[in-house]
Amino acid sequence: MAGKKKISSDKPITGLSKDQIADFLRQMCEIRFFEEKVAELLKIGVIKGASHLYAGEEGVAVGAISTITEDDVIASTHRGHGHCGAIGVKHAHTEGERQEHWNKMMAELMGRATGYCKGRGGSMHIADVQKGNLGSTGIVGGNIPIGTGAAMAEKLKGTNNVVLCFFGDGATNTGSFHEALNMGATLLGGLPIVYICENNLYGMSVPFNQKSVADAGTASKIENVADRAAAYGIPSEIVNGMDILAVRESITKAVDRARKGGGPSLIEAKTYRWFGHSISDQRIYRSKEEEAEWKCKCPIECFGKRMVDEFGFKQAEVDKIKATATKTIEVATQFAQDSPYPDPGELFDDVYVPLDEAKFAADKAAEKPIMAKVKAIEDDIRAFVREQSGGAAKSALPKLNKDATGKFEAKHGMPILTYGQAVVEAQREEMKRDKTVVIMGEDVGLYGGAYAATRGLYAEFGGDRVIDTAISEAAIAGAAAGAAMRGIRPIPEIMYIDFVTIASDQIVHNMAYNRYMFGGKTKVPCVLRTEGGVGRCIAAHHSESLEAWFVHIPGLIVVMPSTPYDAKGLLKAAIRDDNPIIFIEHKVLYSGVMGPVPTEEYIIPIGVADVKREGTDATVVAYCRQLHFAMDAACELAKEGINVEVIDPRTLKPLDVETIANSVRKTGRLITVSEGFPKCGMGETIARQVMEYKFADGTVAFDYLDAPPVILAGKDVPIPMSEPLEDVCVPGRDDIVKAVKSVL
């Protein structure tokens, strides 16, 4: 029954061999001794940074992970040494492999090159993705969407694998917890995941519900986290987290349920941490009496006693197991101290999946003849639209009526599509090409997307590949990242770029950073589609241009196409790429821009700019909607004999600086145009990179500037709703004309 809970029995589960029971104790001792050694090394500065110690909670990690197979997956949290320890032991088949596992763990905490993540993740971000440990996160609750996405991937792949997702009681007060549990319960009929709350009674210093110090606050009005499961229609259970066998029994049932298609469960393990939140924590928020009471429930000592009293072990055997565990950690500590630090020359390794230079060159060459045909048609359409509008500034976007569309298609023998249709076509072709490509987001399915950018795909591919979600931006982005790490190529859609503010933790700290933070041992092939920009009078919460935010983040690629041809070719390339990509469209372009789109297979390689119009007097760099204003401005300036070169970067990161710098070398002048806010915006970024660009002869592009760069951007105000105000809050054609004249 959904939401039902009970205290699990303390009776031992049958069917365990003596060797399994002995290994349970050994694992718990290895985790405990590891944590005690880490505490010691933190105090003397051998281990740097923050470590959130797991001592006292060993029964949860070992009991839970004993229930899964090597094909299953875990998602961990900042207090994750126990989870990493237990999953690593599961994959160790010899004493040598077991020792190597603890060696890598200790080396990672010491920041050594031999660590699991080459010293880049440390205590809070340790992972071994190849062996099912999707890693821990330093953001409370941040791993729960990741685990949910991993479970989505397993269900989509039909593997029958299960995900264990660990988190503390503090995480249950975050939005990520609630979004992810709701997603786990609703997506694809329920996902194969067990949510395990290790309720150690305190979220840092704040008691969850009951307190032993009068002045302490509380984080929750309810006593049990398990009560929250009923809100999502999933079963829950409370278990004694200090009893490894009780944990094992409870998790076994939940895992079996998930594996049989029953969906998620929430298990609340009542436990206690021996140390404070971190090594500097004085624990003034809990009483000494409470600590002493919980120390009497030590999972190691209690289980060791049961081994003697109930399971036929001699005390000498128990003592020997503890001594073996102690030795393992001592050897690991020495190994780590003897290991080298990472080479500073490797600082930039693994931020991105390495580029295949030969393929990139081939793709670049293959696009040139296609691009030449397309540009001729685009120029023809642009001239026609200008002629029909009489050169009015507000008619800069190349939009055709039905009759004109038919005439241009007949004339050039190439379909004329809207920008939105090109986006749909790209997704359709890649979904046919690759069964691992899925779309997920709000209203993307039956409705076809808020701007029809997924129209018809639900009917064609079904609800398992075009997945409608609840309004849960953080869960959408995080689940996409988790699914990508497990072999799916998700296209999550965030309806408006303004809403990425809600999902920024998942986009930055997981989607962008995981590859680097985990030592280059994972890929996150994910294309987050979103749209922004002004032009529909929907004010500041639905009209921003935040591309510069994501250009700022290492690990992300940022693409902003301007034309239907570019939108299709770049989106296809992005879906095939192994890096996380932010693919930003403009809301006005979906139906406001039309252009030729070839019927033959093509992609546009990421990181290649397009010289839309050649010129000699000034270089104008503009992208997305502003590209069309720049092209219109160039036509106006040509009437006065001013010949402007217009470049569309197409990809903002990586930026094709070479193409822009070569243009500036020719023209001596640079104007950048964007809709984003002016401070720390794209214009400044482009200008800086161009001015620093070094040519083969040793000169830099700055040497060729005959005038200071001009940076046109949005005004330093929130986007207003009223149309006259909205019109003047971003550059237009006349602003570009004026800027070009100012530098001549």
Side-chain angles (χ1 to χ4, degrees), residues 255-282:
V255 167
D256 288 347
R257 180 176 182 275
R259 216 181 292 282
K260 292 174 182 176
S265 304
L266 172 62
I267 307 300
E268 179 184 4
K270 300 281 192 179
T271 184
Y272 202 76
R273 52 174 160 85
W274 266 209
F275 294 89
H277 173 71
S278 60
I279 203 68
S280 60
D281 181 0
Q282 300 302 306

PDB file of all heavy atoms in Angstrom, residues 255-282:
ATOM      1  N   VAL A 255      14.227  -3.778  -3.641  1.00  0.00           N
ATOM      2  CA  VAL A 255      14.948  -4.086  -4.884  1.00  0.00           C
ATOM      3  C   VAL A 255      14.156  -5.084  -5.719  1.00  0.00           C
ATOM      4  O   VAL A 255      14.020  -4.923  -6.943  1.00  0.00           O
ATOM      5  CB  VAL A 255      16.363  -4.607  -4.571  1.00  0.00           C
ATOM      6  CG1 VAL A 255      17.003  -5.229  -5.817  1.00  0.00           C
ATOM      7  CG2 VAL A 255      17.242  -3.482  -4.045  1.00  0.00           C
ATOM      8  N   ASP A 256      13.643  -6.125  -5.078  1.00  0.00           N
ATOM      9  CA  ASP A 256      12.848  -7.117  -5.806  1.00  0.00           C
ATOM     10  C   ASP A 256      11.625  -6.465  -6.445  1.00  0.00           C
ATOM     11  O   ASP A 256      11.269  -6.762  -7.589  1.00  0.00           O
ATOM     12  CB  ASP A 256      12.401  -8.236  -4.856  1.00  0.00           C
ATOM     13  CG  ASP A 256      13.545  -9.157  -4.457  1.00  0.00           C
ATOM     14  OD1 ASP A 256      14.624  -9.087  -5.099  1.00  0.00           O
ATOM     15  OD2 ASP A 256      13.377  -9.932  -3.497  1.00  0.00           O
ATOM     16  N   ARG A 257      10.997  -5.578  -5.708  1.00  0.00           N
ATOM     17  CA  ARG A 257       9.819  -4.879  -6.234  1.00  0.00           C
ATOM     18  C   ARG A 257      10.189  -4.049  -7.455  1.00  0.00           C
ATOM     19  O   ARG A 257       9.502  -4.075  -8.485  1.00  0.00           O
ATOM     20  CB  ARG A 257       9.227  -3.989  -5.141  1.00  0.00           C
ATOM     21  CG  ARG A 257       8.007  -3.202  -5.567  1.00  0.00           C
ATOM     22  CD  ARG A 257       7.417  -2.413  -4.395  1.00  0.00           C
ATOM     23  NE  ARG A 257       6.223  -1.701  -4.806  1.00  0.00           N
ATOM     24  CZ  ARG A 257       6.216  -0.503  -5.392  1.00  0.00           C
ATOM     25  NH1 ARG A 257       7.363   0.119  -5.606  1.00  0.00           N
ATOM     26  NH2 ARG A 257       5.094   0.068  -5.756  1.00  0.00           N
ATOM     27  N   ALA A 258      11.287  -3.319  -7.366  1.00  0.00           N
ATOM     28  CA  ALA A 258      11.726  -2.488  -8.484  1.00  0.00           C
ATOM     29  C   ALA A 258      12.095  -3.344  -9.688  1.00  0.00           C
ATOM     30  O   ALA A 258      11.759  -3.007 -10.828  1.00  0.00           O
ATOM     31  CB  ALA A 258      12.921  -1.638  -8.059  1.00  0.00           C
ATOM     32  N   ARG A 259      12.766  -4.458  -9.426  1.00  0.00           N
ATOM     33  CA  ARG A 259      13.217  -5.316 -10.535  1.00  0.00           C
ATOM     34  C   ARG A 259      12.045  -5.974 -11.258  1.00  0.00           C
ATOM     35  O   ARG A 259      12.131  -6.285 -12.456  1.00  0.00           O
ATOM     36  CB  ARG A 259      14.191  -6.374 -10.002  1.00  0.00           C
ATOM     37  CG  ARG A 259      15.295  -6.696 -10.984  1.00  0.00           C
ATOM     38  CD  ARG A 259      16.253  -7.752 -10.483  1.00  0.00           C
ATOM     39  NE  ARG A 259      17.084  -7.374  -9.381  1.00  0.00           N
ATOM     40  CZ  ARG A 259      18.178  -6.615  -9.457  1.00  0.00           C
ATOM     41  NH1 ARG A 259      18.543  -6.113 -10.617  1.00  0.00           N
ATOM     42  NH2 ARG A 259      18.896  -6.341  -8.377  1.00  0.00           N
ATOM     43  N   LYS A 260      10.966  -6.157 -10.549  1.00  0.00           N
ATOM     44  CA  LYS A 260       9.784  -6.778 -11.145  1.00  0.00           C
ATOM     45  C   LYS A 260       8.840  -5.755 -11.781  1.00  0.00           C
ATOM     46  O   LYS A 260       7.732  -6.106 -12.204  1.00  0.00           O
ATOM     47  CB  LYS A 260       9.039  -7.589 -10.082  1.00  0.00           C
ATOM     48  CG  LYS A 260       9.813  -8.811  -9.612  1.00  0.00           C
ATOM     49  CD  LYS A 260       9.094  -9.506  -8.457  1.00  0.00           C
ATOM     50  CE  LYS A 260       9.890 -10.702  -7.963  1.00  0.00           C
ATOM     51  NZ  LYS A 260       9.264 -11.344  -6.768  1.00  0.00           N
ATOM     52  N   GLY A 261       9.278  -4.501 -11.838  1.00  0.00           N
ATOM     53  CA  GLY A 261       8.462  -3.484 -12.489  1.00  0.00           C
ATOM     54  C   GLY A 261       7.500  -2.776 -11.567  1.00  0.00           C
ATOM     55  O   GLY A 261       6.610  -2.047 -12.039  1.00  0.00           O
ATOM     56  N   GLY A 262       7.674  -2.944 -10.254  1.00  0.00           N
ATOM     57  CA  GLY A 262       6.758  -2.333  -9.298  1.00  0.00           C
ATOM     58  C   GLY A 262       7.025  -0.874  -9.013  1.00  0.00           C
ATOM     59  O   GLY A 262       6.247  -0.229  -8.308  1.00  0.00           O
ATOM     60  N   GLY A 263       8.137  -0.352  -9.529  1.00  0.00           N
ATOM     61  CA  GLY A 263       8.434   1.062  -9.336  1.00  0.00           C
ATOM     62  C   GLY A 263       9.258   1.335  -8.094  1.00  0.00           C
ATOM     63  O   GLY A 263       9.785   0.420  -7.451  1.00  0.00           O
ATOM     64  N   PRO A 264       9.371   2.598  -7.726  1.00  0.00           N
ATOM     65  CA  PRO A 264      10.271   2.988  -6.642  1.00  0.00           C
ATOM     66  C   PRO A 264       9.705   2.730  -5.256  1.00  0.00           C
ATOM     67  O   PRO A 264       8.495   2.558  -5.074  1.00  0.00           O
ATOM     68  CB  PRO A 264      10.452   4.485  -6.872  1.00  0.00           C
ATOM     69  CG  PRO A 264       9.185   4.913  -7.528  1.00  0.00           C
ATOM     70  CD  PRO A 264       8.751   3.754  -8.382  1.00  0.00           C
ATOM     71  N   SER A 265      10.600   2.722  -4.281  1.00  0.00           N
ATOM     72  CA  SER A 265      10.249   2.669  -2.864  1.00  0.00           C
ATOM     73  C   SER A 265      11.112   3.681  -2.135  1.00  0.00           C
ATOM     74  O   SER A 265      12.182   4.068  -2.618  1.00  0.00           O
ATOM     75  CB  SER A 265      10.508   1.270  -2.275  1.00  0.00           C
ATOM     76  OG  SER A 265       9.835   0.266  -2.991  1.00  0.00           O
ATOM     77  N   LEU A 266      10.653   4.091  -0.972  1.00  0.00           N
ATOM     78  CA  LEU A 266      11.453   4.949  -0.098  1.00  0.00           C
ATOM     79  C   LEU A 266      11.712   4.203   1.200  1.00  0.00           C
ATOM     80  O   LEU A 266      10.769   3.815   1.902  1.00  0.00           O
ATOM     81  CB  LEU A 266      10.713   6.266   0.193  1.00  0.00           C
ATOM     82  CG  LEU A 266      11.352   7.176   1.247  1.00  0.00           C
ATOM     83  CD1 LEU A 266      12.740   7.634   0.819  1.00  0.00           C
ATOM     84  CD2 LEU A 266      10.460   8.375   1.542  1.00  0.00           C
ATOM     85  N   ILE A 267      12.983   3.979   1.508  1.00  0.00           N
ATOM     86  CA  ILE A 267      13.373   3.330   2.749  1.00  0.00           C
ATOM     87  C   ILE A 267      14.050   4.369   3.629  1.00  0.00           C
ATOM     88  O   ILE A 267      15.033   4.995   3.211  1.00  0.00           O
ATOM     89  CB  ILE A 267      14.337   2.149   2.496  1.00  0.00           C
ATOM     90  CG1 ILE A 267      13.745   1.181   1.464  1.00  0.00           C
ATOM     91  CG2 ILE A 267      14.674   1.451   3.809  1.00  0.00           C
ATOM     92  CD1 ILE A 267      12.431   0.564   1.849  1.00  0.00           C
ATOM     93  N   GLU A 268      13.524   4.547   4.819  1.00  0.00           N
ATOM     94  CA  GLU A 268      14.135   5.459   5.782  1.00  0.00           C
ATOM     95  C   GLU A 268      14.891   4.645   6.820  1.00  0.00           C
ATOM     96  O   GLU A 268      14.283   3.912   7.610  1.00  0.00           O
ATOM     97  CB  GLU A 268      13.076   6.321   6.466  1.00  0.00           C
ATOM     98  CG  GLU A 268      13.666   7.268   7.493  1.00  0.00           C
ATOM     99  CD  GLU A 268      12.612   8.054   8.256  1.00  0.00           C
ATOM    100  OE1 GLU A 268      11.401   7.802   8.042  1.00  0.00           O
ATOM    101  OE2 GLU A 268      12.996   8.916   9.073  1.00  0.00           O
ATOM    102  N   ALA A 269      16.208   4.756   6.790  1.00  0.00           N
ATOM    103  CA  ALA A 269      17.055   4.043   7.748  1.00  0.00           C
ATOM    104  C   ALA A 269      17.418   4.994   8.878  1.00  0.00           C
ATOM    105  O   ALA A 269      18.119   5.977   8.666  1.00  0.00           O
ATOM    106  CB  ALA A 269      18.307   3.525   7.053  1.00  0.00           C
ATOM    107  N   LYS A 270      16.926   4.701  10.075  1.00  0.00           N
ATOM    108  CA  LYS A 270      17.241   5.538  11.238  1.00  0.00           C
ATOM    109  C   LYS A 270      18.650   5.180  11.710  1.00  0.00           C
ATOM    110  O   LYS A 270      18.916   4.046  12.113  1.00  0.00           O
ATOM    111  CB  LYS A 270      16.242   5.278  12.361  1.00  0.00           C
ATOM    112  CG  LYS A 270      14.792   5.561  11.993  1.00  0.00           C
ATOM    113  CD  LYS A 270      14.459   7.042  12.025  1.00  0.00           C
ATOM    114  CE  LYS A 270      12.939   7.244  11.942  1.00  0.00           C
ATOM    115  NZ  LYS A 270      12.552   8.660  11.981  1.00  0.00           N
ATOM    116  N   THR A 271      19.533   6.150  11.674  1.00  0.00           N
ATOM    117  CA  THR A 271      20.934   5.886  11.968  1.00  0.00           C
ATOM    118  C   THR A 271      21.541   7.098  12.672  1.00  0.00           C
ATOM    119  O   THR A 271      20.802   8.004  13.092  1.00  0.00           O
ATOM    120  CB  THR A 271      21.678   5.520  10.667  1.00  0.00           C
ATOM    121  OG1 THR A 271      23.021   5.162  10.963  1.00  0.00           O
ATOM    122  CG2 THR A 271      21.646   6.652   9.662  1.00  0.00           C
ATOM    123  N   TYR A 272      22.859   7.108  12.800  1.00  0.00           N
ATOM    124  CA  TYR A 272      23.498   8.189  13.564  1.00  0.00           C
ATOM    125  C   TYR A 272      24.939   8.316  13.116  1.00  0.00           C
ATOM    126  O   TYR A 272      25.620   7.306  12.901  1.00  0.00           O
ATOM    127  CB  TYR A 272      23.457   7.857  15.059  1.00  0.00           C
ATOM    128  CG  TYR A 272      23.580   9.046  15.983  1.00  0.00           C
ATOM    129  CD1 TYR A 272      22.510   9.904  16.183  1.00  0.00           C
ATOM    130  CD2 TYR A 272      24.758   9.303  16.671  1.00  0.00           C
ATOM    131  CE1 TYR A 272      22.598  10.994  17.050  1.00  0.00           C
ATOM    132  CE2 TYR A 272      24.861  10.381  17.548  1.00  0.00           C
ATOM    133  CZ  TYR A 272      23.777  11.221  17.728  1.00  0.00           C
ATOM    134  OH  TYR A 272      23.874  12.293  18.590  1.00  0.00           O
ATOM    135  N   ARG A 273      25.399   9.552  12.964  1.00  0.00           N
ATOM    136  CA  ARG A 273      26.806   9.744  12.602  1.00  0.00           C
ATOM    137  C   ARG A 273      27.630  10.012  13.856  1.00  0.00           C
ATOM    138  O   ARG A 273      27.254  10.806  14.700  1.00  0.00           O
ATOM    139  CB  ARG A 273      26.958  10.881  11.587  1.00  0.00           C
ATOM    140  CG  ARG A 273      26.299  12.210  11.937  1.00  0.00           C
ATOM    141  CD  ARG A 273      26.669  13.270  10.908  1.00  0.00           C
ATOM    142  NE  ARG A 273      25.770  14.410  10.872  1.00  0.00           N
ATOM    143  CZ  ARG A 273      25.858  15.477  11.656  1.00  0.00           C
ATOM    144  NH1 ARG A 273      26.816  15.541  12.569  1.00  0.00           N
ATOM    145  NH2 ARG A 273      24.996  16.466  11.542  1.00  0.00           N
ATOM    146  N   TRP A 274      28.770   9.331  13.932  1.00  0.00           N
ATOM    147  CA  TRP A 274      29.647   9.447  15.094  1.00  0.00           C
ATOM    148  C   TRP A 274      30.292  10.833  15.165  1.00  0.00           C
ATOM    149  O   TRP A 274      30.379  11.430  16.224  1.00  0.00           O
ATOM    150  CB  TRP A 274      30.747   8.401  15.020  1.00  0.00           C
ATOM    151  CG  TRP A 274      30.521   7.092  15.727  1.00  0.00           C
ATOM    152  CD1 TRP A 274      31.501   6.294  16.253  1.00  0.00           C
ATOM    153  CD2 TRP A 274      29.290   6.391  15.972  1.00  0.00           C
ATOM    154  NE1 TRP A 274      30.961   5.149  16.803  1.00  0.00           N
ATOM    155  CE2 TRP A 274      29.587   5.192  16.642  1.00  0.00           C
ATOM    156  CE3 TRP A 274      27.946   6.656  15.697  1.00  0.00           C
ATOM    157  CZ2 TRP A 274      28.625   4.274  17.053  1.00  0.00           C
ATOM    158  CZ3 TRP A 274      26.983   5.738  16.095  1.00  0.00           C
ATOM    159  CH2 TRP A 274      27.315   4.583  16.764  1.00  0.00           C
ATOM    160  N   PHE A 275      30.748  11.298  14.021  1.00  0.00           N
ATOM    161  CA  PHE A 275      31.415  12.594  13.959  1.00  0.00           C
ATOM    162  C   PHE A 275      30.387  13.698  13.704  1.00  0.00           C
ATOM    163  O   PHE A 275      29.201  13.429  13.487  1.00  0.00           O
ATOM    164  CB  PHE A 275      32.473  12.605  12.854  1.00  0.00           C
ATOM    165  CG  PHE A 275      33.637  11.684  13.111  1.00  0.00           C
ATOM    166  CD1 PHE A 275      33.610  10.365  12.686  1.00  0.00           C
ATOM    167  CD2 PHE A 275      34.759  12.140  13.782  1.00  0.00           C
ATOM    168  CE1 PHE A 275      34.680   9.520  12.916  1.00  0.00           C
ATOM    169  CE2 PHE A 275      35.844  11.303  14.015  1.00  0.00           C
ATOM    170  CZ  PHE A 275      35.803   9.990  13.584  1.00  0.00           C
ATOM    171  N   GLY A 276      30.858  14.923  13.705  1.00  0.00           N
ATOM    172  CA  GLY A 276      29.991  16.035  13.345  1.00  0.00           C
ATOM    173  C   GLY A 276      29.764  16.073  11.847  1.00  0.00           C
ATOM    174  O   GLY A 276      30.214  15.190  11.099  1.00  0.00           O
ATOM    175  N   HIS A 277      29.066  17.114  11.416  1.00  0.00           N
ATOM    176  CA  HIS A 277      28.819  17.271   9.983  1.00  0.00           C
ATOM    177  C   HIS A 277      30.137  17.250   9.220  1.00  0.00           C
ATOM    178  O   HIS A 277      30.267  16.596   8.186  1.00  0.00           O
ATOM    179  CB  HIS A 277      28.080  18.582   9.722  1.00  0.00           C
ATOM    180  CG  HIS A 277      27.930  18.904   8.275  1.00  0.00           C
ATOM    181  ND1 HIS A 277      27.089  18.209   7.433  1.00  0.00           N
ATOM    182  CD2 HIS A 277      28.541  19.854   7.496  1.00  0.00           C
ATOM    183  CE1 HIS A 277      27.179  18.708   6.215  1.00  0.00           C
ATOM    184  NE2 HIS A 277      28.041  19.701   6.222  1.00  0.00           N
ATOM    185  N   SER A 278      31.117  17.967   9.719  1.00  0.00           N
ATOM    186  CA  SER A 278      32.466  17.961   9.163  1.00  0.00           C
ATOM    187  C   SER A 278      33.435  17.958  10.338  1.00  0.00           C
ATOM    188  O   SER A 278      33.029  18.007  11.499  1.00  0.00           O
ATOM    189  CB  SER A 278      32.693  19.179   8.263  1.00  0.00           C
ATOM    190  OG  SER A 278      32.524  20.373   9.004  1.00  0.00           O
ATOM    191  N   ILE A 279      34.710  17.918  10.045  1.00  0.00           N
ATOM    192  CA  ILE A 279      35.704  17.723  11.095  1.00  0.00           C
ATOM    193  C   ILE A 279      35.758  18.911  12.056  1.00  0.00           C
ATOM    194  O   ILE A 279      36.185  18.773  13.210  1.00  0.00           O
ATOM    195  CB  ILE A 279      37.096  17.439  10.470  1.00  0.00           C
ATOM    196  CG1 ILE A 279      37.984  16.693  11.460  1.00  0.00           C
ATOM    197  CG2 ILE A 279      37.725  18.721   9.959  1.00  0.00           C
ATOM    198  CD1 ILE A 279      37.532  15.288  11.763  1.00  0.00           C
ATOM    199  N   SER A 280      35.321  20.075  11.606  1.00  0.00           N
ATOM    200  CA  SER A 280      35.363  21.267  12.460  1.00  0.00           C
ATOM    201  C   SER A 280      34.113  21.437  13.314  1.00  0.00           C
ATOM    202  O   SER A 280      34.028  22.359  14.129  1.00  0.00           O
ATOM    203  CB  SER A 280      35.555  22.519  11.595  1.00  0.00           C
ATOM    204  OG  SER A 280      34.469  22.643  10.685  1.00  0.00           O
ATOM    205  N   ASP A 281      33.151  20.568  13.148  1.00  0.00           N
ATOM    206  CA  ASP A 281      31.868  20.664  13.841  1.00  0.00           C
ATOM    207  C   ASP A 281      32.037  20.278  15.318  1.00  0.00           C
ATOM    208  O   ASP A 281      32.475  19.165  15.636  1.00  0.00           O
ATOM    209  CB  ASP A 281      30.878  19.731  13.130  1.00  0.00           C
ATOM    210  CG  ASP A 281      29.490  19.751  13.732  1.00  0.00           C
ATOM    211  OD1 ASP A 281      29.267  20.481  14.704  1.00  0.00           O
ATOM    212  OD2 ASP A 281      28.632  19.015  13.212  1.00  0.00           O
ATOM    213  N   GLN A 282      31.639  21.181  16.220  1.00  0.00           N
ATOM    214  CA  GLN A 282      31.753  20.929  17.661  1.00  0.00           C
ATOM    215  C   GLN A 282      30.525  20.212  18.231  1.00  0.00           C
ATOM    216  O   GLN A 282      30.505  19.883  19.419  1.00  0.00           O
ATOM    217  CB  GLN A 282      31.960  22.256  18.397  1.00  0.00           C
ATOM    218  CG  GLN A 282      33.213  23.005  17.980  1.00  0.00           C
ATOM    219  CD  GLN A 282      34.470  22.184  18.195  1.00  0.00           C
ATOM    220  OE1 GLN A 282      34.718  21.700  19.297  1.00  0.00           O
ATOM    221  NE2 GLN A 282      35.258  22.015  17.131  1.00  0.00           N
TER     222      GLN A 282
END
